[in-house]
Amino acid sequence: MDILLPILIVLASVVAMEWIAWASHKYIMHGWGWAWHRDHHEPHDNLLEKNDLYGLVGAAMSISMFAIGSPLVMGEAAWWPGTWIGLGILFYGIIYTLVHDGLVHQRYFKWVPKRGYAKRLVQSHKLHHATVGKEGGVSFGFVFARDPAKLKAELKRQREAGIAIVRDSAGA
């Protein structure tokens, strides 16, 4: 029973990180942080992108929570949930790296899913990349993917309203 609460904290942290990643992606990366994120939306042959700096921000969040939870750093007044929150952030970072960078953008391995949720993840993130520039867009999350048909309809609405420039190949 002593391990149940830490496991729940880790799981809740992973889920919370998807919401934090969604909000950060929509309002920071496609807002005032576009300078770091832009190259992720443009073709290039570089091994690394400025966008990878956001991974360092996530790592700093995780490390900070580990430090807050560590009695070696904080003394006897350490906040014990910090360690488990830091672990949840770390797990989310691993999931993000495998799903977004690995599966969707194929930076580490080549596999194109033919069906199931993995295919839906790839389709919805490809629709995210269907817009030109930082305005408009859909599918700002990284792990939870909405129905691609609904995302296409939203892209079509944004294009017709003049909110976003949508590439012709997006199907919107």
Side-chain angles (χ1 to χ4, degrees), residues 39-149:
D39 67 343
H40 180 68
H41 283 266
E42 297 172 348
H44 62 78
D45 292 327
N46 302 331
L47 178 63
L48 297 174
E49 306 172 340
K50 280 186 189 175
N51 183 67
D52 294 331
L53 293 170
Y54 285 113
L56 296 178
V57 172
M61 290 169 48
S62 180
I63 291 166
S64 296
M65 293 311 297
F66 278 119
I68 289 169
S70 172
L72 296 174
V73 176
M74 300 297 291
E76 291 300 317
W79 187 57
W80 71 269
T83 299
W84 304 110
I85 294 169
L87 192 59
I89 295 170
L90 172 63
F91 286 164
Y92 183 83
I94 292 168
I95 293 165
Y96 166 87
T97 299
L98 292 173
V99 170
H100 179 264
D101 290 343
L103 175 66
V104 174
H105 290 291
Q106 303 200 349
R107 287 175 77 177
Y108 312 124
F109 53 85
K110 304 289 185 212
W111 175 60
V112 179
K114 303 292 185 221
R115 57 184 153 71
Y117 195 73
K119 180 179 179 180
R120 182 175 173 152
L121 277 169
V122 171
Q123 288 176 321
S124 51
H125 197 72
K126 296 286 184 193
L127 289 167
H128 170 73
H129 281 268
T131 56
V132 177
K134 68 179 187 175
E135 304 303 326
V138 295
S139 193
F140 290 93
F142 296 108
V143 178
F144 299 116
R146 289 178 49 207
D147 177 9

